[in-house]
């Protein structure tokens, strides 16, 4: 039997039974549902080319570091460079703990200061219209050396047929400089030479020089602001300590670098120290501050057997832990990787900006040509001067840099803010769609409840006692990974009951398990399993109903076709669940609980939490169909779950939300992961989504309005009424300000309030 892996939700599917298939780059991919196919077709590289992210300090040497463009994530290359599509400097995908020198920023800063120093005398001479030859000498290094990277990017945009802001800048400054250089050497109408300072043809070296200096200033400010959008990753990386205290067999301890720690090592953590790696507490008791990972301010009590997370802070007592996960496998490293990948993903709203930009630059060039023609044919004298200056002003002020930055800058900052609050956004699409969600489908076990069930009651049929029922149940459940199975096995161990091996173990999804124990056929499961086998449970039915009324989940046990007993398992509701559901109701969301548990137990839980709709006794494979039905009703659905059986529904939902305490496959299928694993994280995620998308719309509005107002003013529409013209230098300053304002607005997201724990 051959299986393929769905590249979106990572579920295994058989090619002959797959819901959809799609050919991409010479390979056929198979999908478990059409929703996965839609997500894949929208951005195949996001699912096929995982970003290579390594955590390193500033002293490490990493070869073959991959660089990518924040505006065009599909542009990836080894080593630094410039994006051929938008001209922006590429950024390293490798995260570093300490701040590294930015060669692009250093180069642009150096070019700006030299350009500014030479542009000032050019501007002074240009205002007096004297000494054009000296202006040429001073302006040439500004335009041709300091501005050379701008012309390189402009040429790359032409070669790659991807017009962008540098196309317009190159055309504007190049036109002003070339015209002026030619004008210097043309004979004046009076026959006198430029050496006498009386050359009559106008030159525009001051415009070309000052525009170049201002554009370089904009690049410097933009690079500095963009570096601040990565503050979230750097702050996360800074959580990791550099050393650990390893216990030696003789009882002594040594301080070693994290690189020297191995899985299985025993480490000591003193009060006030950071937990070096992910591990399990072996000895000691303490409270650990996990707020930097989960966003919850209240310290978590840790005792032997509890897990600890690398980067968190041990507050009060001493702990001895066993190292379980190191390096890239730690939760902190995985968070950093997810945040970095999400920051470079593209939100659907970005496609609008991309489409507009693809038509915008050619339209601006046409507008500049029309401006030149109109001023040349109908403008006042000197017509050539007015025509050239206004056309250049149109080219410069209309640079679409702000439009291109509007979405990615907000996404980068918003994703980082979510990580600091325990909400991991895996892709920008999930962040955008989350604010539109009107229906939340939730699993019960592990989502609404603690997910740590315990045996609360044991019922027996005639001929059996509690110990025998529990021992047989534990024996058959040894081979199951269901949370309820773990509760039964733990209960048997607490009573010193030793389970025995089962032969012919078989699990029937959504019904129960069975096998042969001590030459007796044992069946453990829900009512469906026993109805299918025509086993009469009348002697246990009424007592089982009373347990369900208390919110317990009941499983029945039969031996050789006869009822033997029943076990009631209680899974307490999380203390934060009621608060979270109230907050979600206040947001106007409809809450639907979908569970495989019995209807009576589900109704008890839903009644306590005031859940809007309950669907009980649902088989795992039907959860995805329920989500699909809600979508057909016109609802935008988010699905929250934590188990393997939730993965198809998580992938089918408009937004899949996985509990960080759940299974890996559930987290792979989801677009949002809640580290703490409670529903208050959904409230945070929604608040983050609303704030981020509001910020995106503000940025797009700023960019659109700026261009819609700037282009007509630069073309000279105010001249007939007010006699006002927009200098190309002022247009350049306005263009720079628009880009910086968009980035500054995006940075406000770092301070948005989210629900506190």
């Amino acid at each position: 039997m051959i299986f393929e892996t769905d590249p979106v939700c990572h579920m295994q599917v058989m090619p002959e039974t797959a819901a959809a298939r799609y050919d991409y780059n010479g390979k056929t991919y198979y999908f478990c549902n059409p929703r996965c196919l839609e997500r894949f077709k929208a951005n195949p590289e996001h699912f096929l080319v995982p970003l290579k992210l390594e955590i390193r300090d500033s002293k490490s040497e990493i070869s073959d570091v991959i660089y990518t463009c924040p505006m065009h994530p599909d542009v990836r290359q080894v080593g630094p460079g410039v994006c051929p599509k938008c001209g922006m400097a590429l950024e390293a995908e490798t995260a570093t703990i300490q701040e590294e020198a930015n060669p692009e920023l250093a180069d642009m800063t150096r070019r700006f200061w030299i350009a500014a120093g030479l542009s000032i005398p050019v501007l002074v001479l240009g205002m007096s219209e004297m000494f054009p030859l000296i202006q040429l000498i001073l302006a040439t290094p500004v335009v041709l050396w300091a501005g050379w990277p701008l012309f390189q990017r402009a040429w790359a945009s032409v070669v790659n047929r991807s017009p962008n802001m540098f196309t317009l800048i190159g055309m504007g400054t190049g036109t002003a400089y070339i015209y002026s250089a030619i004008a210097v050497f043309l004979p004046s109408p009076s026959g006198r030479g430029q050496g006498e300072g009386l050359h009559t043809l106008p030159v525009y070296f001051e415009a070309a020089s000052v525009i170049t200096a201002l554009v370089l200033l904009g690049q410097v400010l933009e690079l500095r602001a963009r570096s601040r959008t990565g503050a979230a990753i750097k702050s996360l990386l800074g959580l990791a300590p550099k050393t650990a205290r390893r216990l030696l067999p003789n009882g002594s301890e040594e301080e070693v670098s994290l690189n020297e720690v191995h899985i299985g090592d025993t480490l000591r953590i003193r009060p006030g120290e950071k937990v070096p790696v992910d591990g399990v507490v072996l000895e000691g008791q303490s409270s650990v501050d996990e707020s930097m990972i989960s966003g919850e301010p209240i310290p978590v009590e840790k005792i032997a057997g509890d897990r600890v997370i690398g980067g968190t802070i041990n507050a009060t007592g001493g702990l001895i832990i066993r190292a379980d996960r190191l390096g890239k496998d730690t939760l902190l490293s995985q968070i950093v990787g997810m945040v970095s990948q999400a920051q470079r993903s593209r939100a659907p709203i970005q496609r609008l900006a991309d489409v507009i930009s693809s038509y915008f630059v050619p339209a601006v060039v046409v507008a500049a040509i029309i401006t030149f023609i109109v001023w040349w044919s109908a403008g006042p004298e000197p017509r050539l001067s007015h025509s050239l200056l206004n056309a250049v002003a149109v080219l410069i002020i209309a640079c679409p840099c702000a439009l291109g930055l509007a979405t990615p800058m907000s996404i980068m900052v918003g994703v980082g803010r979510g990580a600091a609050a325990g909400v991991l956004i895996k892709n920008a699409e999930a962040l955008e769609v989350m604010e539109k969600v009107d229906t939340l489908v939730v699993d019960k076990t592990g989502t609404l409840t603690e997910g740590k069930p315990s045996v609360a009651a044991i019922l027996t049929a005639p001929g059996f006692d509690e110990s025998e029922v529990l021992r047989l149940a534990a024996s058959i459940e040894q081979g199951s990974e269901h949370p309820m199975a773990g509760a039964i096995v733990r209960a048997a161990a607490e009573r010193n009951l030793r389970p025995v091996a089962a032969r012919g173990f078989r699990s029937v999804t959504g019904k129960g398990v069975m096998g042969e124990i001590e030459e007796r056929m044992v069946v453990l499961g829900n009512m469906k399993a026993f109805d299918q086998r025509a086993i009469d449970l009348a002697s246990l039915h009424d007592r089982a109903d009373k347990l369900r009324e208390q919110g317990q989940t009941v499983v029945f046990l039969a031996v050789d076709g006869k009822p033997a007993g029943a076990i009631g398992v209680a899974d307490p509701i999380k203390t934060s669940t009621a608060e979270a559901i109230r907050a979600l109701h206040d947001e106007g969301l409809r809450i639907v609980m979908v569970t495989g548990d019995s209807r009576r137990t589900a109704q008890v839980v839903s009644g306590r939490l005031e859940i809007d709709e309950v669907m009980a006794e649902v088989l795992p494979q039907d959860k995805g169909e329920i989500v699909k039905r809600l979508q057909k009703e016109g609802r935008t659905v988010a699905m929250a779950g934590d188990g393997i059986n939730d993965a198809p529904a998580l992938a089918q939902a408009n937004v899949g939300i996985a509990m960080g305490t759940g299974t890996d496959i559930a987290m792979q299928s989801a677009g949002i992961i809640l580290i703490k694993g409670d529903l208050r994280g959904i409230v945070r995620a929604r608040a983050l989504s609303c704030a981020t998308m509001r910020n995106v719309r503000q940025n797009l509005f700023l960019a659109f309005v700026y261009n819609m107002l700037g282009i007509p003013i630069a073309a000279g529409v105010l001249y007939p009424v007010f006699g006002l013209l927009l200098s190309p230098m002022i247009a350049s300053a306005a263009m720079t300000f628009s880009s910086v304002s968009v980035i500054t607005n995006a940075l406000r997201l770092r301070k948005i309030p989210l629900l506190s724990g």
Side-chain angles (χ1 to χ4, degrees):
M1 188 176 295
I2 299 175
F3 287 93
E4 293 282 345
T5 300
D6 186 319
V8 175
C9 70
H10 303 280
M11 291 291 292
Q12 287 189 325
V13 293
M14 296 179 63
E16 58 268 25
T17 60
R21 55 180 289 172
Y22 184 66
D23 294 328
Y24 180 76
N25 277 354
K27 179 172 171 42
T28 301
Y29 296 91
Y30 298 90
F31 301 86
C32 64
N33 62 65
R35 171 69 179 165
C36 286
L37 173 60
E38 292 173 11
R39 292 177 60 191
F40 181 82
K41 291 170 70 174
N43 192 358
E45 293 302 318
H46 173 72
F47 300 102
L48 298 182
V49 186
L51 294 180
K52 177 182 176 183
L53 184 131
E54 303 169 56
I55 300 179
R56 57 191 175 98
D57 58 34
S58 59
K59 297 180 181 179
S60 301
E61 293 185 2
I62 302 293
S63 59
D64 298 335
V65 175
I66 303 297
Y67 283 72
T68 188
C69 174
M71 290 173 59
H72 299 93
D74 56 310
V75 176
R76 303 171 77 243
Q77 69 177 44
V78 177
V82 175
C83 175
K85 294 184 177 180
C86 67
M88 292 180 66
L90 303 181
E91 296 179 352
E93 292 181 359
T94 303
T96 57
I97 294 177
Q98 298 181 9
E99 192 73 34
E100 289 186 334
N102 185 334
E104 177 75 11
L105 177 58
D107 180 59
M108 286 294 180
T109 302
R110 181 173 60 253
R111 291 176 184 273
F112 162 69
W113 284 115
I114 293 175
L118 293 176
S119 295
I120 292 174
V122 174
L123 180 60
V124 172
L125 293 174
M127 292 173 63
S128 62
E129 299 184 0
M130 299 286 286
F131 307 108
L133 184 58
I134 296 177
Q135 293 182 51
L136 171 62
I137 294 172
L138 294 173
T140 297
V142 174
V143 177
L144 298 186
W145 177 79
W148 184 245
L150 310 180
F151 287 110
Q152 284 183 314
R153 298 176 186 187
W155 178 248
S157 71
V158 174
V159 172
N160 290 280
R161 298 179 182 178
S162 181
N164 53 49
M165 61 170 286
F166 295 102
T167 313
L168 303 180
I169 292 171
M171 291 178 63
T173 56
T175 300
Y177 175 80
I178 292 172
Y179 165 80
S180 300
I182 294 173
V184 167
F185 298 102
L186 287 178
S188 64
S190 64
R192 293 177 292 183
Q194 62 270 26
E196 299 177 50
L198 298 173
H199 197 282
T200 57
L201 287 178
V203 293
Y204 305 108
F205 292 117
E206 78 280 7
S209 299
V210 173
I211 288 172
T212 300
L214 287 172
V215 172
L216 290 171
L217 173 62
Q219 290 295 294
V220 170
L221 295 176
E222 180 183 314
L223 288 168
R224 286 182 178 175
R226 279 168 54 190
S227 68
R228 294 168 62 192
T229 62
I233 288 183
K234 292 187 182 295
S235 64
L236 287 170
L237 289 173
L239 297 176
K242 297 179 175 60
T243 61
R245 300 179 187 276
R246 180 165 58 193
L247 294 180
L248 301 176
N250 61 10
S252 62
E253 64 181 56
E254 61 177 348
E255 188 169 343
V256 297
S257 168
L258 280 190
N259 295 331
E260 300 177 50
V261 176
H262 303 288
I263 292 178
D265 281 356
T266 303
L267 309 176
R268 183 188 300 278
I269 309 168
R270 296 175 179 174
E273 291 183 339
K274 290 183 177 180
V275 178
V277 297
D278 292 5
V280 176
V281 177
L282 299 178
E283 298 179 26
Q285 181 175 353
S286 181
S287 58
V288 177
D289 181 1
E290 297 183 345
S291 59
M292 62 288 296
I293 296 291
S294 66
E296 300 286 349
I298 302 175
V300 180
E301 293 297 322
K302 300 291 184 181
I303 59 175
D306 289 342
R307 297 199 61 83
V308 289
I309 302 170
T312 56
I313 300 175
N314 181 30
T316 55
L319 294 174
I320 295 177
I321 71 168
R322 182 186 68 241
D324 276 0
R325 293 185 178 183
L326 309 174
K328 65 181 181 179
D329 295 326
T330 64
L331 176 62
L332 180 60
S333 298
Q334 292 174 12
I335 290 173
V336 170
M338 289 179 188
V339 171
S340 181
Q341 184 167 353
Q343 286 183 332
R344 289 176 170 86
S345 62
R346 295 168 66 80
I349 197 172
Q350 176 67 24
R351 297 170 196 156
L352 171 64
D354 291 343
V355 171
I356 294 174
S357 294
S358 65
Y359 293 100
F360 187 76
V361 174
V364 170
V365 174
V366 172
I369 294 173
I370 294 174
T371 299
F372 184 91
I373 294 173
V374 170
W375 278 94
W376 177 262
S377 59
E381 294 292 347
R383 290 183 178 179
L384 178 60
S385 176
H386 285 118
S387 302
L388 186 63
L389 287 178
N390 289 321
V392 170
V394 169
L395 290 172
I396 298 301
I397 202 169
C399 287
C401 183
L403 185 62
L405 290 170
T407 299
M409 290 299 105
S410 296
I411 295 298
M412 290 179 72
V413 180
V415 167
R417 176 67 182 95
V423 178
L424 296 186
I425 309 295
K426 288 181 62 179
N427 58 71
E429 180 183 0
L431 184 62
E432 177 177 340
V433 175
M434 188 63 198
E435 75 161 350
K436 304 173 185 176
V437 168
D438 54 28
T439 302
L440 174 64
V441 177
V442 292
D443 179 42
K444 181 177 76 71
T445 304
T447 303
L448 300 177
T449 63
E450 294 286 354
K452 297 178 181 178
S454 59
V455 172
I458 300 176
L459 307 178
T460 60
F464 294 87
D465 58 26
E466 290 188 3
S467 295
E468 181 70 0
V469 169
L470 184 58
R471 186 181 70 88
L472 291 173
S475 298
I476 197 67
E477 287 283 36
Q478 285 183 109
S480 174
E481 295 181 354
H482 195 281
M484 192 175 297
I488 293 173
V489 172
R490 284 194 302 272
E494 290 170 359
R495 299 192 183 193
N496 295 319
L497 300 174
R498 292 189 177 183
V500 297
R503 293 189 302 174
F505 173 83
R506 191 155 56 96
S507 174
V508 181
T509 303
K511 295 181 180 178
V513 293
M514 63 192 68
E516 187 175 326
I517 299 175
E518 298 172 340
E519 299 182 356
R520 291 185 292 177
M521 189 63 192
V522 176
V523 178
L524 182 73
N526 56 23
M527 292 288 293
K528 292 180 180 178
F530 288 83
D531 289 343
Q532 185 175 348
R533 288 165 179 75
I535 298 175
D536 185 10
L537 297 175
S539 60
L540 299 169
H541 197 276
D542 291 341
R543 287 182 290 166
D545 281 347
K546 291 181 179 180
L547 296 182
R548 293 193 187 100
E549 289 171 0
Q550 299 170 14
Q552 296 182 30
T553 300
V554 180
V555 290
F556 296 93
L557 179 76
V559 178
D560 290 334
K562 296 180 179 179
I567 298 176
V569 178
D571 187 6
I573 297 172
K574 294 177 181 178
T575 55
S576 60
T577 299
E579 174 194 349
I581 288 181
R582 283 194 299 269
L584 292 168
H585 277 149
D586 291 342
E587 290 283 325
L589 269 69
R590 179 175 179 79
I591 313 295
V592 179
M593 184 175 77
V594 177
T595 178
D597 213 336
S598 69
R599 184 168 301 279
R600 181 165 296 184
T601 301
Q603 287 174 341
V604 170
V605 174
S606 67
R608 292 176 184 174
L609 297 175
E610 298 182 357
I611 290 174
D612 301 299
E613 185 178 353
V614 179
M615 298 183 187
E617 300 176 1
V618 176
L619 296 176
Q621 59 267 30
D622 294 334
K623 290 185 178 181
E625 293 301 318
I626 291 173
V627 172
K628 189 182 298 185
R629 177 176 61 78
L630 291 170
Q631 289 171 330
K632 288 180 179 179
E633 293 175 2
R635 297 185 173 275
T636 303
V637 181
M639 167 72 191
D642 72 332
I644 292 176
N645 58 355
D646 296 322
L650 290 170
Q652 173 65 39
N654 299 93
V655 181
I657 304 172
M659 302 292 132
T661 51
T663 60
D664 289 342
I665 193 167
M667 289 187 276
Q668 290 171 353
S669 304
I672 297 176
I673 298 174
L674 309 179
I675 296 177
K676 188 65 176 179
D678 70 53
L679 292 189
R680 284 179 299 182
I682 299 180
V683 182
R684 292 191 185 98
R686 186 172 173 83
L688 179 67
S689 173
C690 293
T692 301
M693 297 316 300
R694 182 166 57 247
N695 193 272
V696 168
R697 286 188 284 268
Q698 290 169 352
N699 282 346
L700 290 173
F701 177 79
L702 287 172
F704 280 127
V705 169
Y706 163 81
N707 282 301
M708 293 304 100
L709 295 178
I711 293 175
I713 293 174
V717 296
L718 298 181
Y719 184 82
V721 179
F722 301 102
L724 295 178
L725 289 176
L726 187 65
S727 165
M729 292 178 286
I730 297 177
S732 178
M735 181 270 294
T736 298
F737 173 77
S738 70
S739 299
V740 174
S741 64
V742 162
I743 297 175
T744 303
N745 186 53
L747 289 172
R748 292 192 307 111
L749 287 170
R750 297 189 302 173
K751 304 297 183 182
I752 59 170
L754 299 177
L755 174 70
S756 64

